[in-house]
Amino acid sequence: MHRLRSWVIAITSALGMVGSMELMYTPLSIAPPESCSSSVVSSSTKSVPQNSQGSARPQTNRCAYGLDYALYSKSPQPKSLLQPYQTLSQALQTTETRIERNSFSVYGDTNRDGKVDDNDFRIRQPWSWDAGALMLFNNDDDDRNAIPDWQDNIVNGDNDVEDLAKIHLKLGEDFADSQLLLVADEKARPYINIFQKTDKGWQPVDLNGSKPITYSSDILLGVEAKQFANRNWNGLVNLKTVATNKGKVVAEDSIQMRVAPWIMLPNTAKVTELYVSDRGIGNREFISQLKTGVEATGAKVNVIAGGTAWKQDTMEIGYVQFPKQSSLQNFNVVLNGNRGGSMDYYPRSLLSRDFGWFEMGKPRRLDALNQWTDWFGNLEVTPPIPGYPHGRIYYGNAGTVAFHPEVVDFLTAQEIQGPPVDIDTSWLMIRHVDEIISFIPTPSGKPLMMIVSPEEGVNLLKELNSKGYGNELMNRGLSTQTTVSGALNNKNLIEHNLKLQSQHLNPIIAKLKQEFNLSDDQIVRIPAMYGYGGYSWWPNMVNSVAVNGQIMASNPRGAIVNGRDYTQEAFRQRVARSALKVYFLEDLYYQELRGNTHCATNTRRKGLDTPFWSTLPAWLSQR
């Protein structure tokens, strides 16, 4: 209907121009072409020219019509000769009026420019990652009542209006007496709220098609999602508008939309805030050092009194994007942890205006060996890598038990950072991926993947011993303190670590090179050692946090050579290409509890400034 209307307007305008030409042209003394003069029909004789076979055929005097007549006539002609154009123009105008009266079209911001207009009409459906209307899972708290906005089924002021996806239903006068119904597809119905803007404000709309909406020539609807895409819903909704009169359907139209995906943030993204719990005297020095290093970058350090020691495990802060006129709406959304009890109360306290909060899955009862598997230190994402401009999600798999399957299904349903990759964590005590690998940025934009290397740990001990430092202390001040030679003489320890390298770490490297499209020069092997139970024998430097040009790593407490920690220097050399400034933190408190710097902290990071739909994975943009 919309296209026909545009066509009618274009034709009418063109004919109007032609009709006006009689006022532009004055009669010219130009002889008509032979084709005109030879085919003129005489009104007196009414004779008919013969064709080459001698049979009569009807003739048309094309010079007697429109512009030809005006140009070739020897004298001014009456306006009545332009009557055919005027008649057609009037007919088309009448048709246009009739079309306006019968117009029935629904459309939203399908070109994602933050406004709804005629430019959106052509790509209403089907929805694709490149184009099509988006809606937000409205999980922030614009009225600041500590309840996510989607839960109250009302529109919470002007700020909440900004979080609604706008849909226009344009209607002609012929539908003023019709019942207007809105129907969402059955699969999506439980996951969305829709409101109509009326004189009484934004009113909830029935999605079953049982209660009519209020008529106006331009109905404005606002749509919000009540969940992200998940294992039960692909995030798509088909909205159909129906007009009925005396029980019969007289018109209908539809649009397809999708909820914007939740996007995880990598260790390389800009940090705006860092979170750590105050555990009393045990981590006081750690917090002091952390504040010194982080606050120098312009980021804020939030110290939570009495909070969980393992801040990384309690929440995962990602972000969402939504089109906004002349800008891009971009705000953080936190996924609550699944540890159960009171350990994960903190994430909900972050809920505020433009800071969303949601839950996915429920805590599971797992056996003693796997009890920490579902904690969020076991869930990470790479920086942008070839084929995955928004990074690729990875998580731990201990063989018998992998990271929470409902959360994995949720992450897979977001599509933009998947499919997720599982990494073997069966050889670790805590069984978290953040104990194995971590990504850091470089000036070239090509990230480095740090990975723990027991083989490099053994080589470091041998190197120290060969240089005559066999009597120097390793793991200074820790329960595992020993000398360099003492560690090397522990044949079982050395054999255990070399076996970890060959049986677990080497296969992990081979897998991740392929899955993450990494070159050999992007893989940085960091010296590490492991006890028999799968805990880090000295503080794990890979379990670190990159913060705005700096890296916060655990002090490995290595042998002191010429006044310097030899293991620290080995780390500095290996990450030098990143150009990051290295801060070593005293994390003795956490090391004895079998965790390190990344485990102890969490970060709020800034999402990309470019819309996700402008930098899609090739395989996704083709769908």
Side-chain angles (χ1 to χ4, degrees):
M1 190 70 71
H2 180 275
R3 293 173 183 168
L4 180 57
R5 177 181 181 273
S6 299
W7 179 82
V8 168
I9 292 172
I11 295 298
T12 304
S13 299
L15 289 172
M17 291 175 61
V18 172
S20 68
M21 289 179 180
E22 68 169 348
L23 301 177
M24 296 167 57
Y25 290 95
T26 56
L28 301 176
S29 299
I30 300 177
E34 291 185 13
S35 59
C36 288
S37 58
S38 63
S39 60
V40 173
V41 179
S42 171
S43 59
S44 59
T45 62
K46 293 186 173 57
S47 61
V48 181
Q50 302 294 308
N51 62 17
S52 58
Q53 281 74 35
S55 60
R57 62 179 179 185
Q59 295 294 310
T60 301
N61 180 6
R62 76 176 185 89
C63 301
Y65 293 93
L67 185 59
D68 280 344
Y69 199 103
L71 287 173
Y72 297 121
S73 175
K74 295 181 179 179
S75 60
Q77 304 300 324
K79 291 184 179 180
S80 60
L81 289 174
L82 289 176
Q83 191 63 37
Y85 290 107
Q86 295 171 343
T87 302
L88 178 57
S89 177
Q90 291 170 0
L92 288 172
Q93 289 172 358
T94 301
T95 302
E96 180 188 352
T97 301
R98 187 163 60 249
I99 290 173
E100 289 286 352
R101 291 177 57 86
N102 283 277
S103 66
F104 190 93
S105 56
V106 58
Y107 51 102
D109 183 19
T110 54
N111 64 2
R112 302 176 187 170
D113 64 354
K115 55 188 177 182
V116 181
D117 54 30
D118 287 353
N119 294 325
D120 295 300
F121 192 84
R122 62 183 179 84
I123 46 177
R124 295 174 302 156
Q125 58 178 340
W127 190 93
S128 71
W129 282 97
D130 296 294
L134 292 166
M135 57 183 168
L136 278 176
F137 175 18
N138 196 7
N139 51 27
D140 70 341
D141 181 20
D142 286 313
D143 60 355
R144 299 183 179 179
N145 66 349
I147 299 173
D149 290 339
W150 68 268
Q151 289 187 354
D152 53 22
N153 202 30
I154 61 174
V155 178
N156 300 289
D158 292 340
N159 288 303
D160 201 23
V161 171
E162 292 293 315
D163 296 338
L164 299 178
K166 309 306 188 298
I167 299 294
H168 282 265
L169 174 57
K170 295 240 179 179
L171 302 174
E173 297 175 7
D174 287 358
F175 298 100
D177 296 327
S178 298
Q179 272 202 331
L180 303 173
L181 305 173
L182 188 67
V183 183
D185 65 280
E186 188 173 353
K187 190 76 172 179
R189 210 171 291 162
Y191 299 105
I192 62 170
N193 290 323
I194 300 184
F195 307 91
Q196 180 183 3
K197 187 175 184 181
T198 70
D199 294 338
K200 298 179 180 179
W202 291 89
Q203 301 297 315
V205 173
D206 173 73
L207 303 180
N208 299 309
S210 57
K211 296 180 181 178
I213 57 179
T214 305
Y215 171 84
S216 76
S217 60
D218 187 1
I219 292 174
L220 178 59
L221 303 171
V223 186
E224 67 180 9
K226 300 192 287 186
Q227 186 53 269
F228 288 113
N230 56 35
R231 59 164 48 167
N232 299 314
W233 178 48
N234 64 3
L236 286 170
V237 56
N238 291 294
L239 291 178
K240 183 167 69 172
T241 52
V242 181
T244 64
N245 200 312
K246 298 179 180 179
K248 293 183 178 181
V249 175
V250 294
E252 64 179 39
D253 199 10
S254 61
I255 186 172
Q256 193 172 55
M257 310 174 69
R258 191 191 194 278
V259 62
W262 184 71
I263 305 173
M264 287 183 62
L265 287 158
N267 194 46
T268 56
K270 181 179 179 179
V271 175
T272 57
E273 296 184 63
L274 183 142
Y275 307 90
V276 62
S277 294
D278 183 354
R279 305 293 292 177
I281 194 171
N283 73 338
R284 192 161 295 163
E285 184 179 7
F286 176 83
I287 290 176
S288 176
Q289 293 174 336
L290 196 63
K291 286 172 68 72
T292 299
V294 171
E295 290 177 348
T297 73
K300 178 183 178 182
V301 175
N302 294 297
V303 181
I304 296 91
T308 174
W310 310 119
K311 214 64 187 171
Q312 185 62 216
D313 298 317
T314 192
M315 60 186 178
E316 190 68 47
I317 302 177
Y319 75 110
V320 295
Q321 293 183 327
F322 191 62
K324 192 174 182 179
Q325 193 168 348
S326 74
S327 66
L328 178 68
Q329 198 169 348
N330 189 331
F331 60 84
N332 291 111
V333 178
V334 59
L335 171 59
N336 208 92
N338 275 325
R339 296 188 298 169
S342 60
M343 288 192 289
D344 294 328
Y345 73 89
Y346 182 75
R348 183 157 184 163
S349 70
L350 299 177
L351 175 65
S352 61
R353 182 175 296 168
D354 292 340
F355 200 141
W357 168 88
F358 74 110
E359 297 175 289
M360 183 57 59
K362 299 295 181 185
R364 297 189 295 169
R365 285 192 175 186
L366 301 173
D367 62 82
L369 287 176
N370 296 293
Q371 60 182 306
W372 304 291
T373 299
D374 292 340
W375 297 16
F376 285 164
N378 203 22
L379 174 65
E380 299 295 331
V381 67
T382 73
I385 54 176
Y388 297 88
H390 298 275
R392 190 171 183 188
I393 294 169
Y394 58 93
Y395 63 91
N397 186 340
T400 56
V401 177
F403 184 71
H404 201 302
E406 187 172 351
V407 179
V408 172
D409 287 348
F410 154 71
L411 297 169
T412 303
Q414 306 314 298
E415 298 193 73
I416 198 165
Q417 293 178 303
V421 177
D422 67 315
I423 296 176
D424 174 21
T425 57
S426 62
W427 52 282
L428 291 168
M429 173 183 284
I430 305 300
R431 304 191 169 188
H432 285 182
V433 289
D434 69 346
E435 301 176 84
I436 304 174
I437 64 172
S438 181
F439 286 85
I440 53 177
T442 67
S444 69
K446 192 176 182 181
L448 302 177
M449 184 185 80
M450 299 189 298
I451 184 166
V452 292
S453 175
E455 182 178 39
E456 287 295 299
V458 172
N459 290 340
L460 184 142
L461 292 175
K462 290 179 178 180
E463 188 178 292
L464 280 165
N465 196 55
S466 68
K467 292 180 177 181
Y469 302 114
N471 292 326
E472 297 297 329
L473 292 176
M474 296 292 296
N475 303 359
R476 292 172 290 107
L478 300 175
S479 58
T480 54
Q481 178 177 297
T482 187
T483 63
V484 172
S485 59
L488 283 172
N489 290 332
N490 187 338
K491 302 302 182 184
N492 289 335
L493 178 65
I494 300 301
E495 183 180 342
H496 171 68
N497 276 273
L498 293 178
K499 187 178 291 185
L500 288 178
Q501 185 72 47
S502 62
Q503 294 184 356
H504 297 283
L505 272 307
N506 287 345
I508 288 173
I509 290 173
K511 178 177 182 176
L512 297 186
K513 280 180 64 177
Q514 181 177 357
E515 295 287 358
F516 295 159
N517 297 302
L518 299 174
S519 57
D520 287 332
D521 65 344
Q522 287 181 272
I523 299 171
V524 181
R525 294 165 173 82
I526 303 298
M529 293 279 285
Y530 287 88
Y532 305 116
Y535 61 89
S536 187
W537 195 60
W538 64 61
N540 185 341
M541 295 175 287
V542 169
N543 191 259
S544 57
V545 184
V547 181
N548 306 339
Q550 304 186 137
I551 183 168
M552 309 292 165
S554 300
N555 179 7
R557 296 173 173 263
I560 301 299
V561 176
N562 298 325
R564 290 179 176 272
D565 186 310
Y566 198 85
T567 310
Q568 284 188 13
E569 293 305 303
F571 180 80
R572 290 183 196 275
Q573 291 169 10
R574 284 165 170 79
V575 302
R577 282 181 292 152
S578 71
L580 296 174
K581 183 177 181 179
V582 181
Y583 275 83
F584 285 106
L585 307 177
E586 296 298 340
D587 73 339
L588 174 63
Y589 170 80
Y590 299 104
Q591 170 66 20
E592 296 297 354
L593 293 174
R594 306 303 186 232
N596 295 109
T597 297
H598 190 261
C599 302
T601 59
N602 212 309
T603 51
R604 179 181 183 180
R605 297 178 183 268
K606 189 175 183 296
L608 295 177
D609 291 326
T610 54
F612 72 80
W613 54 89
S614 68
T615 53
L616 291 171
W619 55 271
L620 195 58
S621 63
Q622 294 168 359
R623 291 176 51 185

